[in-house]
Amino acid sequence: MRVLKVLMLPLFLGLAGCGAGFDQDTRPFATQNEIAALEAGILALGPDVDPKEARRAAQIAYDYTRQLAIEYEITDAPLIHNTKVNMGWKPRGLCWHWAEDMEDRLNAEGFETLQLHRAIANADNEFRIDHSTAIISARGDAFDEGVVLAPWRKGGVLFWAPLVDDDRYVWVERSVVLKERYSELYAIYGDAIL
């Protein structure tokens, strides 16, 4: 494993210029316009969404993205950072880390009119790595009626969009993907996976 890491170093040095990373001290804070735009996107989820909750969720989504980017030591483009995490050079920062941590943080607020979901894209594609995200919706709505919150996509800068407008990925509810994967494993290994 150590030899592989040493052999990968020239590749990283060559690719380091490919991503627009951030120095930890200069990572930008979200502007009030960015936060207000996300707040409006969350309010647009339905008339029962509490405006105070929408504002708080938008503020947290931006602030927590910045906090996680610093904790994850994000200084590179997402795929380069992923490789560093997988090689043990960085602590966290894979897309599912972002999704899990964002979901947990927003759920900690105890929103009464908002609900968090998880989704995965590319789970059935042999040529692309699957991608995880958190989604916020009006309470009781399905995940596909929500807003994608994807800090991984831009390397620690929050990307958000209504799921129906996110044409880069085809999102599937995480529980559906995991059930399919479990069924596939069970078909191969039977009771041995229990």
Side-chain angles (χ1 to χ4, degrees):
M1 183 60 130
R2 186 165 177 76
V3 172
L4 180 60
K5 287 181 181 180
V6 171
L7 293 174
M8 294 297 293
L9 185 60
L11 174 65
F12 284 116
L13 294 175
L15 291 175
C18 295
F22 292 102
D23 179 306
Q24 299 299 347
D25 296 330
T26 61
R27 183 164 295 280
F29 286 94
T31 67
Q32 288 305 308
N33 287 341
E34 290 171 321
I35 295 165
L38 177 53
E39 176 186 0
I42 294 170
L43 281 170
L45 294 170
D48 294 333
V49 172
D50 181 327
K52 290 179 183 175
E53 288 190 0
R55 176 68 179 175
R56 197 162 80 240
Q59 184 75 56
I60 290 168
Y62 273 105
D63 290 349
Y64 200 55
T65 293
R66 185 179 190 281
Q67 178 183 332
L68 289 176
I70 292 168
E71 288 177 17
Y72 294 168
E73 302 173 10
I74 305 290
T75 56
D76 298 298
L79 292 177
I80 294 171
H81 187 81
N82 277 13
T83 304
K84 289 180 177 181
V85 171
N86 288 326
M87 296 191 72
W89 295 350
K90 296 285 183 165
R92 283 175 68 86
L94 303 177
C95 61
W96 69 268
H97 294 144
W98 289 100
E100 178 178 75
D101 290 347
M102 183 66 73
E103 178 188 33
D104 289 348
R105 174 63 187 92
L106 288 168
N107 272 334
E109 290 297 304
F111 293 125
E112 294 181 10
T113 66
L114 297 171
Q115 181 175 344
L116 275 295
H117 308 266
R118 291 276 296 283
I120 299 175
N122 303 325
D124 60 352
N125 188 320
E126 293 179 34
F127 303 105
R128 294 183 70 186
I129 300 169
D130 30 311
H131 179 35
S132 296
T133 196
I135 296 172
I136 192 165
S137 73
R139 178 145 314 272
D141 283 356
F143 87 101
D144 57 354
E145 298 176 73
V147 170
V148 172
L149 301 173
W152 175 87
R153 192 182 300 192
K154 293 184 177 182
V157 175
L158 183 65
F159 167 87
W160 70 271
L163 186 137
V164 297
D165 294 339
D166 186 6
D167 56 7
R168 184 164 177 192
Y169 294 101
V170 176
W171 296 106
V172 178
E173 195 165 16
R174 179 175 178 256
S175 61
V176 171
V177 172
L178 295 180
K179 184 176 180 180
E180 288 173 3
R181 287 183 180 168
Y182 178 80
S183 295
E184 290 169 5
L185 288 172
Y186 189 80
I188 295 168
Y189 299 106
D191 289 336
I193 66 168
L194 298 176

